[in-house]
Amino acid sequence: EPSLSQDPGEVRAFAPRSAGLLVNLGMCDAARLHAADAALDGFAAPWALDPVKVDRSADRLAAARRLLDRGPAAVKANAAEAAAIGPVSCALWTTGAIDTIVAPAMTFRLANGHPWMTRTTAIGCAAGAVLTVLLAGGGGDAAFAAAAAALLCGVAGELAAARCGG
């Protein structure tokens, strides 16, 4: 049951009954950050962070670093975002022409996808949602969940590009 609520009371009620949680900084303002904290206060399962555009905003970067202290299972970021946040202690999926998933015990590299994906609004946000679903149902291995999400999203991008005609 997806919810995009930014009301702290609502997310406090939703989070404990949810199997997955994605904190996406795409719409990063004080109300949404407060709601993210409220959701995390009541959330015990693995969760994902998408530090959208932290490479362009000191405030977003500070928020992402604070959220990293709350212990996400995985982070999904593009190369610039990943460089801005620096090393993390969880699985890190860095998107790009070759998606790289780095976790403490393993590394995956996947070369799926299509260049148009970088020019299509919300592809990255959707990938974060796929990652969250796989974290919720994947038995707790964040690196494998991120690799599966990268593969699914990349192949979907290839199929869509082949069928859409530009």
Side-chain angles (χ1 to χ4, degrees):
E1 298 175 5
S3 170
L4 299 176
S5 180
Q6 67 182 30
D7 179 83
E10 279 190 338
V11 297
R12 275 190 196 96
F14 292 165
R17 298 173 54 189
S18 299
L21 177 66
L22 169 63
V23 177
N24 178 305
L25 298 183
M27 303 273 295
C28 187
D29 57 41
R32 286 179 173 87
L33 291 173
H34 184 63
D37 282 327
L40 288 169
D41 287 344
F43 197 72
W47 62 280
L49 174 64
D50 188 346
V52 179
K53 304 293 186 210
V54 296
D55 56 310
R56 298 182 186 190
S57 165
D59 290 341
R60 282 177 189 247
L61 181 57
R65 287 190 172 141
R66 187 180 53 73
L67 288 162
L68 283 166
D69 289 341
R70 305 233 20 200
V75 173
K76 185 215 62 76
N78 65 32
E81 295 160 351
I85 61 172
V88 298
S89 59
C90 62
L92 173 62
W93 170 14
T94 304
T95 62
I98 297 176
D99 289 335
T100 304
I101 297 89
V102 176
M106 64 189 73
T107 299
F108 297 94
R109 287 184 175 74
L110 299 147
N112 299 96
H114 191 279
W116 291 343
M117 293 172 73
T118 63
R119 297 176 18 209
T120 306
T121 300
I123 293 288
C125 295
V130 171
L131 169 59
T132 302
V133 167
L134 294 173
L135 279 173
D141 192 311
F144 284 116
L151 182 62
L152 284 168
C153 292
V155 170
E158 291 171 356
L159 293 172
R163 292 181 180 153
C164 79

